Amino acid sequence: MEKLTFYAVSAPEKLDRIGSYLAERLSRDVVRHRSGYVLIAMEALDQLLMACHSQSIKPFVESFLHMVAKLLESGEPKLQVLGTNSFVKFANIEEDTPSYHRRYDFFVSRFSAMCHSCDSDPETRTEIRIAGIRGIQGVVRKTVNDELRATIWEPQHMDKIVPSLLFNMQKIEEVDSRIGPPPSPSAADKEENPAMLAENCFRELLGRATFGNMNNAVRPVFAHLDHHRLWDPNEFAVHCFKVIMYSIQAQYSHHVIQEILGHLDARKKDSPRVRAGIIQVLLEAVAIAAKGSIGPTVLEVFNTLLKHLRLSVEFEARDLQGESISSANLNTSSKDSDEKIVQNAVIQTIGFFGSNLPDYQRSEIMMFIMGKVPVFGTSTHTLDISQLGDLGTRRIQIMLLRSLLMVTSGYKAKTIVTALPGSFLDPLLSPSLMEDYELRQLVLEVMHNLMDRHDNRAKLRGIRIIPDVADLKIKREKICRQDTSFMKKNGQQLYRHIYLGCKEEDNVQKNYELLYTSLALITIELANEEVVIDLIRLAIALQDSAIINEDNLSMFHRCGIMALVAAYLNFVSQMIAVPAFCQHVSKVIEIRTMEAPYFLPEHIFRDKCMLPKSLEKHDKNLYFLTNKIAESLGGSGYSVERLSVPYVPQVTDEDRLSRRKSIVDTVSIQVDILPNSSPSDDVVSNTEEITFEALKKAIDTSGMEEQEKEKRRLVIERFQKAPFEEIAAQCESKANFLHDRLAQILELTIRNEAHDRGREKLQVPPKERTSAYSYIDFGVETGLCIMWHSKGAIDRNCASEIFFSIAVSFIFST
C-alpha cells in the first residue's frame, strides 16, 4: 500500500488506470462474494483518495463512485455499510474546483431507500438505516455548498431526502414540548440512534437552505405528515416544525408560515381535528417567528385564520341544521365539539400572534378584525356570511370578538385616541347594543383592555360597595389634553351605550359587573370635572329609569340597575374626595342596608334574594337625590348647573344614516333649525326653504347684512342658554340630514357665480380667453378646496367674494 501510494503521488496521471483496474477487480469480487478482496480494494481506494489531491484525481473519482455504487447495490448489509463509509470519507474532501458533470441522483435514491430498511434483524435494520442517513448527510455536504451545482434542492431529490429523514425522526419516543429550542443531540446519540442522527441531518439541511430553495425543503414535510396521518394527534408535526423554525435562517421564517397557511387552505375540507392540528402547528411556528422576523405575512396570517374561523362556524351551523332535520345522526355532537376545537385553536393563534406584534401593527390588526365583524342591518363588514344563517352569524360574531379580545390584551397606548380612534370605536360599539348579552360582554371587555392603561381593572373586579377606595391603590395620571378632547368628541357616545346597555332585559350579573367597571375606568383614565358631572348625571338617569320603568324591565333588572348606581356613586364619591358627597352616598347606602338590601350589589346578585313587588312606594331616602348631590358638589367648586338637566341619550350615527336620502330625491328641502321653545322665538321663522335660487340670491350681500346679524345673535343666544344635551338631541339628526345636500348645492352655486363674475370683471381679449378662463377655473377650484377644507367655518354670504378674490389673485400672480 505504501508503494502504491508513493507511485500514485509521483505519477498522478496513472491514477485513472489505477482506479479503472481496482474498479474492475472489485466488481468481479462483489459478484463472486469475495468479501475479503472487496475490503482490501476499498481500503486501497480510500487511502489513495485521501493521499492524492491533484487535478488528475477527477477521473479517479469517477471510478471510485462507480465502485461505491456497486457496493450499495449489493444485497449484503456489510457491503452497503462499507460503501457508505467510503462515500462519507469522500464527501468530507474539499475539492479545488467543482465537477459540474458529476451527478448524485443514484446515491440520493439509494441512501433514501436504505433509510427505510425493513430487515428482519433489528440490529441489521438499525445499522442500514444509520448508514442511509449518514449517506444522505454526505450527499448534502458534498453538493449543498456549491451554488452552481444546486441539483440537490430540486423537488425530485427533496421528495426522497426529507421523508426519509422524517421517517427515522418519527421513532423519537419523548418529544420535547417546550417552547424553547429542542435540545442538541450528544455525539453518542448521533452515531447510535437513527432518530437523533436523522434530526441532526435535517437541521443541517435546513440550515443550508436559501431563499430560493426553502419551499422545496418544506413542502415534502406536509406530504409526509398527510400520508402518515400525523396531524391528529399532532405531537410529531409540532416537533418537526419546531426543528424547522429553529434551524432555518430567521429572515426566512415567513416562508414557512406561508407554506403552513397554504396547506391549511388545501386541507380546509378535512376533518376538524386535522385542521385543528395544522392550526396548532401554525401557532408553534408563529410563536418562534414572532421573536424574530415575521415578514410581510401579518395580514395574510390573520386573513387566512379568520377565513377558516368562518368556515368552521359554517360547518358547525350546517351540522346543527342537519341535527334538527334528522335526530338519528349520533355523531353530530362530536363534530360540534370538534369544530369548537378548531375555533379555539384559531382564536388562540390569533391572540398569541397579535400579542407579539408591535403596537402599530397591532392597531392595524384590530381594525382588520373589527372590519370582519358582521352587524345586522349593515353591509360594512368584509366577511361572507351568506351561508351562515342567524345562528352562524351570532357564532362568528362571538368568535371574532373573542379574537379581538385576545389581540387587545396587554395593549398599552399613551393616549386613548391612539387606542380608540373614531374609525375603530364606531364599529366596536355597534354590537354593544345587540340583543345578545354575550356579545355585549365581549365588547365591554375589549373596551376595558384598551382603556385600562394602568392595570387597575383587576382591582375593580366584581361589582360591590367598596368601604375605602384608597385601599385599592388605584394608579392614575393627570388627564392629558388629547384624552380631554376625546371625551368631548366621543363622551356622549360612550354614555349612551352604557345607559342603553344597562336597560337590556337579558342582562346577567356579569353584564352589570362589566358596566360598573366601564364607568370606573372612565372615571380613572378619562375624567376631569366636566366628565365627572356627566357620569353622575348618567347614574341618576339610570336610577330614574329603574324607578319609572318605561322599558318594562323585570324586578331583578331594576334592582340590578339600582345596585350598579349605588356601587358607582360610592366609587366616584371617594375618587373625587368631596366630603359632603361621600356623606350623602354613605347615608343612602346605610339606609338601603337596613331597609332595602336588594338595592345593593352584595344582595341582589345572590342566588336567593328577596325582591320587592314594586318600587313606587319606597321612601325617597333610599334614592340618590340630585339636589343633595348638586349642593354637595357646588360647595366644592364644581359647576353643577348641568346636574339639573336630565340626561338624554345622544342621537347615534346609525340613526343619522338611516334618515339620510339622496340629494336628487328633493329639489326643495324644508329645514327645521330649532323647534319653538319660547314666545320670543317668533321673531325669527324657524323654517327656511333652501333651493338653488334662494342660495344664489343669498350670495349677494347687499341689503341683507342687518338681517343676518339679527339671525346670528338669536342663534348664538339660543346656543348659549340651552343645555348642550337638549340641543344635541334635537338638532343633530336634522343638521346632519342637511349637511351633504347643502354642501353640494352651495358648491355648485358658488362655483358658477365665481366663474361668471371673474370672466365679466376681467376684460380678456378674445384670443386669450381660453388661457385666461382656464386660470379662472383653476383659481376658483383652489379657493373651493380651501373653503371646504375649513369644514363649513366660512359664512356662505361671503363665500363667493372669497372665491373671486382667490381666483383674481391667482390670475394676476401668474
Side-chain angles (χ1 to χ4, degrees), residues 437-438 440-441 444-445 448 460-465 501-502 504-518 556-557 559-561 563-564 567 600-609:
Y437 70 92
E438 191 173 356
R440 299 197 300 273
Q441 291 174 5
L444 291 173
E445 288 175 338
H448 297 170
L460 302 170
R461 188 165 295 153
I463 181 171
R464 64 194 188 280
I465 303 297
C502 290
E504 294 289 344
E505 58 184 10
D506 62 339
N507 280 338
V508 295
Q509 177 180 350
K510 186 177 180 181
N511 290 86
Y512 291 114
E513 291 177 352
L514 294 173
L515 289 164
Y516 163 75
T517 305
S518 300
F556 168 78
H557 292 99
C559 293
I561 294 175
L564 169 65
L600 298 176
E602 290 83 357
H603 293 80
I604 186 59
F605 296 123
R606 289 179 179 175
D607 292 337
K608 297 180 180 179
C609 178

Side-chain angles (χ1 to χ4, degrees), residues 90 141 197 230 268 283 398 432 550 610 617 632 774:
F90 163 71
R141 288 177 179 175
L197 184 61
L230 296 174
K268 63 184 178 181
L283 172 61
I398 292 175
S432 69
E550 294 179 348
M610 298 296 295
K617 298 181 181 180
S632 60
S774 66

Side-chain angles (χ1 to χ4, degrees), residues 143-164:
T143 60
V144 80
N145 289 328
D146 189 359
E147 295 181 359
L148 298 178
R149 190 174 62 245
T151 57
I152 193 66
W153 296 108
E154 293 177 358
Q156 63 265 29
H157 298 319
M158 287 290 106
D159 290 343
K160 297 173 183 177
I161 292 174
V162 174
S164 301

